[in-house]
Amino acid sequence: SAVISQKPSRDICQRGTSLTIQCQVDSQVTMMFWYRQQPGQSLTLIATANQGSEATYESGFVIDKFPISRPNLTFSTLTVSNMSPEDSSIYLCSVAPGQGLEKLFFGSGTQLSVL
Amino acid sequence: KQEVTQIPAALSVPEGENLVLNCSFTDSAIYNLQWFRQDPGKGLTSLLLIQSSQREQTSGRLNASLDKSSGRSTLYIAASQPGDSATYLCAVRDTGFQKLVFGTGTRLLVSP
């Protein structure tokens, strides 16, 4: 298993600003994932972050809008850039210990509201 | 493209009832299926993981079944308690892209 600390837990931001979300894991993991959950909807994968390589973004998500860092095997950040009200969502980081195909463990999420 | 649907979207039951949550998926070529619980203001908690070769998994009062050929999974909760109130999500990992595709969830309310 894995224990994931994600912060901030919530934030209210102004349009046009950026927010960086941090995700810290208590053990080394190869693959980390960032998800978005828009109000009333299910989770959508933003990108997969592997240490030592560029993040892989899903269709509809771009690096300029959601830059990701993965400096080591226990830490990652997701930045939501130039925010608009449409970015108001819950953002969750997730890890998959092992080969990345088994159980996913999630952080507690970041509730973002953009005014 | 894999699509995952959960029925019902919301469910309200009195304490003590046994209940079934349903999950269906369009592409049967899956690697595994996972059930999660999501509490307000918290992340997701993994409940059960069923590999494609398995038919069911059990943990305490929870039992999840998988019928891959028909594209269905059910989560059975026995003797429900108010503490079971949460949103339950199923997620399918397909063998192709190996990504996890989430359903829209069932919001469960168990009243005392």
Side-chain angles (χ1 to χ4, degrees):
Chain A
S1 65
V3 177
I4 303 169
S5 174
Q6 186 175 338
K7 55 182 179 182
S9 58
R10 59 177 61 239
D11 208 341
I12 300 173
C13 300
Q14 295 297 319
R15 181 194 299 261
T17 62
S18 298
L19 175 71
T20 296
I21 302 168
Q22 299 180 2
C23 181
Q24 178 76 51
V25 190
D26 68 341
S27 59
Q28 293 185 340
V29 293
T30 302
M31 301 178 75
M32 296 182 74
F33 308 91
W34 286 98
Y35 285 86
R36 180 176 74 179
Q37 186 176 29
Q38 294 178 300
Q41 300 191 21
S42 192
L43 279 73
T44 301
L45 181 64
I46 298 172
T48 301
N50 292 333
Q51 193 270 336
S53 63
E54 294 288 330
T56 302
Y57 289 82
E58 297 300 305
S59 175
F61 298 96
V62 295
I63 187 171
D64 289 346
K65 176 66 176 177
F66 298 100
I68 289 172
S69 77
R70 183 78 202 274
N72 56 53
L73 291 173
T74 63
F75 187 77
S76 178
T77 68
L78 168 76
T79 298
V80 186
S81 303
N82 189 25
M83 289 184 285
S84 66
E86 292 71 33
D87 294 320
S88 297
S89 297
I90 299 174
Y91 292 86
L92 298 118
C93 73
S94 173
V95 303
Q99 298 304 311
L101 299 180
E102 301 305 324
K103 274 190 181 182
L104 277 191
F105 296 88
F106 281 82
S108 54
T110 296
Q111 175 76 62
L112 171 62
S113 297
V114 183
L115 304 178
Chain B
K1 177 185 174 183
Q2 181 74 269
E3 294 183 0
V4 182
T5 304
Q6 289 186 247
I7 295 173
L11 182 63
S12 182
V13 300
E15 181 177 7
E17 275 201 9
N18 302 323
L19 54 98
V20 175
L21 308 181
N22 297 292
C23 171
S24 61
F25 45 95
T26 55
D27 187 347
S28 62
I30 67 169
Y31 186 80
N32 58 38
L33 182 146
Q34 196 166 353
W35 282 93
F36 294 89
R37 166 185 174 140
Q38 185 175 28
D39 294 279
K42 299 183 180 180
L44 276 68
T45 302
S46 178
L47 298 174
L48 291 164
L49 172 72
I50 309 178
Q51 302 292 350
S52 62
S53 58
Q54 297 175 321
R55 295 300 297 269
E56 65 178 337
Q57 283 285 325
T58 298
S59 176
R61 294 182 294 107
L62 305 179
N63 175 277
S65 67
L66 174 64
D67 184 343
K68 201 172 63 168
S69 61
S70 67
R72 294 184 179 184
S73 176
T74 61
L75 179 66
Y76 175 82
I77 302 177
S80 59
Q81 304 171 356
D84 295 329
S85 299
T87 296
Y88 290 81
L89 297 163
C90 72
V92 170
R93 189 184 300 281
D94 60 46
T95 57
F97 294 102
Q98 298 185 339
K99 298 174 187 175
L100 211 58
V101 179
F102 282 82
T104 49
T106 294
R107 190 169 65 253
L108 173 65
L109 176 63
V110 182
S111 52

